[in-house]
Amino acid sequence: MRINKYLAECNISSRRKVEEFIKNGKIMVNGNVVTDLSTQINESDVVKFNGVVVKPTLNKIYLLLNKPIGYITTVKDEQGRHTVLDLIGKMPDRIYPVGRLDCNTEGMLILTNDGDFANLLIHPRNEINKVYRVQLNRVPSIEELNKIKSGVKLEDYVTKPAQISNQKKLEGGRYQLDITIHEGKNREVRKMFEAVGLKVKYLARIKIGSLPIGNLPLGKYKTLSKTELDLLLKNK
C-alpha cells in the first residue's frame, strides 16, 4: 500500500494533508525518515508520525455537524478558542473536519476518520457542489449577480461559474439567496460578494452534493448512513 493511503487509513488526516507530512519529514518507516510519496508500506513495517506508531483504523466514523457561529473548524486551536470537536465530545477514535467553515459561518460540516472519503469529498477534480444560504446587506442588481454567476477576480484567481437560486427580499432591506459552488476556497463566498460591492450579513452551508442539512438542530450532530454518504458524493 502506498504510504499516503496507509497514513490516511491511520486516521491522521486526509490523503492530501498527509502528503504534506511526508514531504516535511514527519514520517518514519522502520526508524528512517521517509519523504518519497511512492514508498510502499508492508504489513510488517513500523510507521511513526511525529514519533508515535500509527496503524490503520478499522472502525470508520462519519458525522454530520450543524456548526454554529463561533467555532473554529480545526482539531485544536493554539489560542484556546472553541473548536468544532468541543461540540462532538469523546469518540472511540480520533476524527477531524473535512474542509472548512469560517468561524462566522454556520451549517454543514463533515467529520470523519476516513482519509480516503475525506479526499473524495474535497478534491477539486470531483467538483462536489456546496450550497450556501446567503443574506446580503441590500438588494443586488442583475449586473452584480451576473458577475457572481460568471466568475469574479479574487486575488490571484477567478472563481468558477456559480448558480444562484431561491432569491427573496427580507425585512430591514436585506436580501437572501442560495449560491452553489464547488471550489470552497478560504472565505470564497464572502469574497465573491465583496468583490462586486455586496456585504454578506449571514452565511450558512445548507447542502453538500445531494445531501441537505435537513432539520438537524444547530450545534448538534448525527452519524451518517451509507445512503447519506453516497448522496454527499453526488450532484443532482
Side-chain angles (χ1 to χ4, degrees):
M1 183 185 300
R2 282 175 66 97
I3 190 170
N4 56 351
K5 179 174 173 60
Y6 181 91
L7 290 169
E9 292 191 1
C10 287
N11 185 25
I12 292 175
S13 188
S14 67
R15 197 182 300 190
R16 292 178 67 191
K17 188 66 177 177
V18 299
E19 288 179 356
E20 294 180 20
F21 297 152
I22 296 167
K23 293 175 182 177
N24 292 333
K26 294 186 176 183
I27 308 300
M28 295 182 71
V29 179
N30 300 328
N32 300 311
V33 174
V34 173
T35 57
D36 185 354
L37 296 178
S38 65
T39 300
Q40 295 291 319
I41 302 299
N42 300 313
E43 188 174 346
S44 60
D45 290 333
V46 177
V47 181
K48 292 184 178 181
F49 169 58
N50 283 340
V52 179
V53 174
V54 292
K55 295 182 180 180
T57 299
L58 298 178
N59 180 36
K60 302 298 185 184
I61 299 171
Y62 308 93
L63 303 179
L64 168 60
L65 170 70
N66 188 353
K67 185 189 95 63
I69 289 172
Y71 286 81
I72 306 297
T73 308
T74 186
V75 173
K76 60 182 179 180
D77 182 66
E78 294 179 354
Q79 300 178 39
R81 294 172 294 182
H82 289 297
T83 77
V84 290
L85 291 186
D86 293 333
L87 297 166
I88 303 298
K90 190 171 180 58
M91 283 279 126
D93 206 348
R94 177 182 178 274
I95 59 173
Y96 53 88
V98 180
R100 64 170 71 90
L101 277 182
D102 295 341
C103 181
N104 294 324
T105 300
E106 295 180 354
M108 293 183 72
L109 183 69
I110 307 301
L111 298 101
T112 186
N113 61 352
D114 185 341
D116 282 340
F117 181 80
N119 190 58
L120 285 174
L121 200 57
I122 64 177
H123 201 290
R125 72 166 175 263
N126 295 324
E127 296 190 351
I128 302 299
N129 285 340
K130 286 90 176 175
V131 182
Y132 295 82
R133 180 144 294 160
V134 184
Q135 289 184 12
L136 301 169
N137 62 320
R138 61 173 174 81
V139 178
S141 67
I142 294 176
E143 181 182 5
E144 289 167 338
L145 290 182
N146 284 340
K147 287 180 180 178
I148 294 289
K149 291 177 183 179
S150 61
V152 294
K153 181 76 166 57
L154 297 182
E155 298 159 357
D156 59 345
Y157 71 99
V158 177
T159 61
K160 301 290 185 181
Q163 300 174 35
I164 301 291
S165 60
N166 298 327
Q167 303 176 56
K168 66 177 181 180
K169 293 181 180 179
L170 302 177
E171 293 182 1
R174 289 192 180 188
Y175 194 79
Q176 181 173 290
L177 54 80
D178 293 347
I179 180 171
T180 302
I181 62 173
H182 63 256
E183 289 180 292
K185 295 182 180 180
N186 186 34
R187 298 187 72 252
E188 184 173 33
V189 173
R190 293 181 188 275
K191 290 177 179 179
M192 289 169 71
F193 286 100
E194 288 171 1
V196 298
L198 295 161
K199 183 166 183 167
V200 173
K201 306 296 289 186
Y202 169 82
L203 181 62
R205 185 158 61 196
I206 61 172
K207 190 176 184 181
I208 300 176
S210 295
L211 181 67
I213 196 163
N215 58 2
L216 183 64
L218 197 63
K220 301 298 182 180
Y221 71 90
K222 69 175 184 177
T223 299
L224 292 170
S225 67
K226 176 62 168 61
T227 299
E228 289 172 323
L229 291 174
D230 290 341
L231 287 174
L232 281 173
L233 301 175
K234 294 179 180 178
N235 291 328
K236 286 185 179 179

